[in-house]
Amino acid sequence: MAKLKLSPTRSNLSLMRERLKLAREGHQLLDKKRDVLIIEILRLIDDAERIQRQVDAQFVKAYQVMQEARAAMGTERVRRLALSRPQEVDVEITPRSIMGVVVPSVRYAVPERRMSYGFGDTSVLLDQVQEQWSIVLSQMGQLSEKVTTVWRLAIELRRTQRRVNALEHIFIPSYEETVDYIRDMLEEKD
């Protein structure tokens, strides 16, 4: 490591010792932050995988019910009824912080179910399709929150790891070498 170019004085020795102390404290804090981020990422990955399995299973159910409705009522009729739904889903994304990383918190509200079609010319399967797709929608909100959070925490973990490595392999050894150099030079003068 290259030592810093400083004249060997007691004030510079004191300054370098202080910088070394701060670098070591920063290294400890960043090391702890890295550990917390890793634990949080692993927990969120487990949650995301669990939700992903639920979403996959729910998609299968929803598509199955929709195929039954299409078989009973006809594809064109189901499509027209699906497009006639004027309802919107309210999605609220609020930021929150985990270890200084801003991550989303997704909340959604499906409006109350109002029938936009008559009972006489439709099948009960259409109600089931609507119910199954509402479940898929709610699970997709949860999944998107978890996946986005994992990605943002992973990016912060990479940044933190780079900082830890820089302190560990560049700054701390450089400060140590400079402190040793100044101390040796001062001892020679004495």
Side-chain angles (χ1 to χ4, degrees), residues 155-166:
I155 290 169
E156 183 63 23
L157 176 63
R158 189 177 344 146
R159 284 185 197 135
T160 303
Q161 183 62 45
R162 271 192 246 136
R163 290 176 182 148
V164 166
N165 287 342

Side-chain angles (χ1 to χ4, degrees), residues 7-170:
S7 58
T9 63
R10 293 200 188 284
S11 63
N12 283 340
L13 178 62
S14 177
L15 176 71
M16 290 310 299
R17 282 183 177 161
E18 186 62 30
R19 285 185 184 173
L20 179 60
K21 179 183 171 190
L22 286 173
R24 285 181 177 152
E25 288 173 0
H27 179 265
Q28 288 176 342
L29 288 173
L30 286 172
D31 196 38
K32 287 178 185 176
K33 180 179 180 179
R34 179 183 57 189
D35 292 344
V36 169
L37 285 172
I38 289 170
I39 290 168
E40 189 67 20
I41 287 171
L42 292 175
R43 185 185 65 77
L44 286 168
I45 286 174
D46 288 342
D47 289 349
E49 287 175 345
R50 178 184 48 79
I51 294 171
Q52 180 66 54
R53 286 190 299 274
Q54 291 173 353
V55 166
D56 291 343
Q58 190 60 41
F59 263 116
V60 169
K61 285 182 195 174
Y63 276 117
Q64 197 172 32
V65 172
M66 188 166 47
Q67 292 295 15
E68 291 172 12
R70 287 174 57 193
M73 296 173 51
T75 301
E76 191 58 36
R77 206 152 154 226
V78 170
R79 183 179 295 140
R80 267 185 301 162
L81 289 171
L83 292 175
S84 70
R85 254 188 100 205
Q87 298 174 351
E88 293 181 4
V89 176
D90 292 328
V91 178
E92 181 183 332
I93 301 173
T94 54
R96 61 187 176 98
S97 180
I98 298 176
M99 295 297 295
V101 180
V102 178
V103 296
S105 179
V106 179
R107 299 286 173 249
Y108 52 89
V110 179
E112 65 180 66
R113 289 177 53 180
R114 281 184 267 145
M115 300 299 162
S116 59
Y117 47 85
F119 295 117
D121 61 343
T122 59
S123 170
V124 70
L125 291 171
L126 199 58
D127 295 339
Q128 292 174 356
V129 167
Q130 198 175 36
E131 182 180 321
Q132 294 299 318
W133 284 104
S134 291
I135 294 170
V136 168
L137 180 64
S138 69
Q139 291 174 341
M140 290 300 293
Q142 294 171 359
L143 182 62
S144 65
E145 177 182 325
K146 299 293 183 195
V147 170
T148 303
T149 301
V150 167
W151 276 106
R152 289 185 181 177
L153 291 178
I155 290 169
E156 183 63 23
L157 176 63
R158 189 177 344 146
R159 284 185 197 135
T160 303
Q161 183 62 45
R162 271 192 246 136
R163 290 176 182 148
V164 166
N165 287 342
L167 284 170
E168 190 173 317
H169 299 293
I170 297 171

